[in-house]
Amino acid sequence: MNYIKFLVFGTIILLISMYSMSYSIASPDENSQILYAEKLFEDSLYEPAIVEFKRFIFYNHESNLIDYAYYRIGHSFYNQKKYDDARRFFRRVEVEFPESPLKFDTKIMIAKSYFRENKYPSTRNELQQILTMDLNDRQLRLVSRYLQGWCYLYEKSWYSAIVEFRRVNQQEPNTELGKLSKELADLTLSGTQIPKKSPSFAKLISRFIPGSGQIYAGKFFNGLGSMLINGTFFYLLFDSIYDRRYVDAFGIYMVGSRFYYGNVYN
């Protein structure tokens, strides 16, 4: 009886083993998986989206959508402000898929990631590479110049910013981007034409008439206050010296000199 049980049990094990050998786990359907990952991305569920795009790459490494999956992973990190991780995946598109139609969009995203971190020279470097590429997309060139203009603004290179904005406006004068570029160029130019005051002259006249330098610089009430305070100390100082109260005069001088030199500095 035990022998029969052993024989039946062994037969079952053998059948299960044979079935397992002939059975292969099917990879998820390519279209359904990329659509699911895309849906997560559109719903701003970036961490799950990253997982699903990576899963897609694992199961479909021969797919012609691998560059798109890398791009979306980079975009997911970008939207989470994880810019180093974002650039790592954008670079993979750039290096591993040099013929990808996404290579220019990827370059723009790398530039924008540097811009978000206030790394303006790195941003301009990426944008300049776009402008030197064999690029037929006119709009992408304009966006690159527009972003370069903003980099120059933040770097306070006013005239370089004006040049970039003018170029965008000249090429697309009737578009929203062209009109906005013209406004930015005009505003920047008007800012560079603000009349300037001479710090040396302001410093000089403040030594002789405390507060006059601040009034000259356009700070009327600050200058008037400085005149009153310093005038009071001068009166108390000379009054003490006249009455031969030299200890008082020394104390007034020590305190008043701070206000006097502060006036010159301001």
Side-chain angles (χ1 to χ4, degrees):
M1 189 69 176
N2 289 335
Y3 173 76
I4 294 172
K5 286 182 179 179
F6 177 76
L7 184 62
V8 172
F9 181 74
T11 303
I12 293 171
I13 294 297
L14 180 62
L15 289 171
I16 292 173
S17 300
M18 291 175 64
Y19 178 75
S20 298
M21 290 175 63
S22 64
Y23 178 74
S24 62
I25 300 174
S27 63
D29 176 69
E30 177 180 335
N31 292 330
S32 63
Q33 192 174 11
I34 197 78
L35 287 173
Y36 177 57
E38 186 67 18
K39 181 65 168 61
L40 291 171
F41 178 85
E42 290 176 356
D43 290 342
S44 302
L45 300 172
Y46 300 118
E47 285 297 337
I50 289 169
V51 171
E52 292 305 318
F53 279 118
K54 286 182 176 179
R55 194 195 307 276
F56 170 81
I57 293 169
F58 178 80
Y59 282 116
N60 304 280
H61 54 274
E62 297 296 332
S63 172
N64 59 2
L65 293 174
I66 298 298
D67 57 337
Y68 180 79
Y70 281 138
Y71 176 79
R72 273 307 197 215
I73 292 172
H75 215 150
S76 297
F77 280 122
Y78 175 87
N79 288 345
Q80 296 178 88
K81 300 182 180 180
K82 298 178 181 179
Y83 300 119
D84 285 333
D85 291 325
R87 284 192 290 269
R88 184 158 52 87
F89 281 93
F90 289 141
R91 294 289 187 200
R92 294 196 69 168
V93 178
E94 186 179 21
V95 174
E96 297 178 25
F97 303 91
E99 301 303 318
S100 171
L102 292 169
K103 62 182 179 181
F104 300 118
D105 296 279
T106 298
K107 204 73 173 168
I108 283 286
M109 291 304 300
I110 292 172
K112 287 174 70 176
S113 71
Y114 281 126
F115 187 84
R116 293 290 184 183
E117 293 182 305
N118 303 327
K119 297 177 180 178
Y120 305 119
S122 297
T123 305
R124 289 191 290 103
N125 179 58
E126 297 294 331
L127 294 170
Q128 195 58 43
Q129 289 180 39
I130 293 174
L131 294 172
T132 57
M133 289 178 176
D134 184 16
L135 180 60
N136 294 322
D137 191 332
R138 181 186 180 90
Q139 190 65 23
L140 199 54
R141 283 187 178 278
L142 293 175
V143 169
S144 298
R145 291 202 178 281
Y146 179 76
L147 288 176
Q148 279 207 105
W150 271 106
C151 288
Y152 284 126
L153 278 184
Y154 280 107
E155 292 175 299
K156 299 182 180 180
S157 297
W158 312 120
Y159 292 106
S160 296
I162 292 168
V163 168
E164 295 299 331
F165 290 135
R166 291 282 189 227
R167 284 177 176 174
V168 176
N169 175 249
Q170 287 169 3
Q171 294 180 40
E172 293 289 341
N174 298 320
T175 64
E176 287 298 320
L177 188 63
K179 292 175 182 177
L180 181 58
S181 296
K182 182 180 185 305
E183 290 180 17
L184 287 168
D186 292 342
L187 280 171
T188 306
L189 181 61
S190 65
T192 61
Q193 296 173 336
I194 294 174
K196 295 179 175 62
K197 302 291 185 179
S198 169
S200 299
F201 180 70
K203 183 177 179 180
L204 177 65
I205 61 176
S206 289
R207 289 187 179 277
F208 293 99
I209 306 174
S212 59
Q214 288 151 289
I215 293 174
Y216 162 73
K219 298 181 178 180
F220 178 79
F221 290 105
N222 286 350
L224 184 61
S226 183
M227 279 185 177
L228 291 173
I229 292 171
N230 281 280
T232 300
F233 276 107
F234 276 122
Y235 171 77
L236 293 174
L237 177 63
F238 288 118
D239 186 63
S240 298
I241 293 173
Y242 183 79
D243 291 340
R244 298 183 180 182
R245 292 182 284 110
Y246 299 118
V247 175
D248 291 346
F250 179 75
I252 292 168
Y253 169 77
M254 292 299 293
V255 176
S257 62
R258 294 180 61 86
F259 285 93
Y260 174 75
Y261 289 110
N263 140 76
V264 174
Y265 178 81
N266 288 329

